[in-house]
Amino acid sequence: MLLAALPLSAWGDKGHRLVCTLALEGLPPGPRAWYAGREAEVEEHASDPDHWRQDRKEGPRHYFDMEPYGGPGHLPRTLGEARARIGGDYYRKGVVPWIIQDRWRDLVEAFRSGDGARVALATSILSHYVADAHVPLHTTENHDGQLTDQRGIHSRWETGLVERFIRPGDLEAMPAEADPAFPDHTWDWLRASHALVPRLLEDDRKADRTTPRGKGGKRRTQAYWAIFWAKQGPVVKQQLQLAGRHLGDAILNAWIEAGKPSQVEFMKP
Ligand SMILES: [Zn+2]
């Protein structure tokens, strides 16, 4: 029952890997050097946090429900504020913006340590939560369409569309940008994701209304997928690209925060 209450794995392995690839491609040479030869390692661990969900505290780290706070215009900025506003249940409503901040600080520390393997792993873990924050259904209580009779929409959107239609060449890496106020932008990403929810749900309903169901009345047909992709494909691509760009920003800013360490310095005896 508890597991059923949690959102499913976001983006699937393919999506999480793509976000890492895009981010690393968009880095300038300084931080990029830290990942030379470690690209596969970073991608390999990008889905690790989805395998930690036996720990009851892990699930809420992947999402942030906005409705309990009164919507995107009224989000709390700190965990203390979240607790004060909605009480002891606040954790179960999701904590992804704060987890991104914590894992970002881990990356800063990793750069300071000079340990390339630690930088790669910290990047993988951070990448996961950044990518999840770009999934619209990770920002709403109606995370699996359970409130609008659209159960399964969560995986139809983030895994079904990605696995069926996304080709790596469809996505373009965008250059990372330096920004001293970096960690605060997490709330902007989440608000932008949340704004995509109504249309996403509507497009699923339309695709369902206009196509027959397959076996057992549950399985969607090719016709459903074609219509849903035609409507939501551009949104899926946009969110994957934005996640890659924002992860790139996060890496670049962590490297700057750590004092722009050069890997060569650490390699000297
Ligand atoms: Zn996740």
Side-chain angles (χ1 to χ4, degrees), residues 8-10 16 49-50 53 62 128 132 138:
L8 304 166
S9 158
H16 279 291
D50 278 336
R53 287 164 178 257
H62 300 242
H128 187 90
D132 278 4
H138 278 238

Side-chain angles (χ1 to χ4, degrees), residues 7-12 16 46-51 53 58-59 61-63 96 128-129 131-133 135 138 154 158:
L8 304 166
S9 158
W11 287 127
H16 279 291
S47 294
D48 282 8
D50 278 336
H51 303 297
R53 287 164 178 257
E58 183 59 30
R61 293 179 182 144
H62 300 242
Y63 61 87
V96 74
H128 187 90
Y129 300 105
D132 278 4
V135 176
H138 278 238
H154 201 99
E158 67 182 17

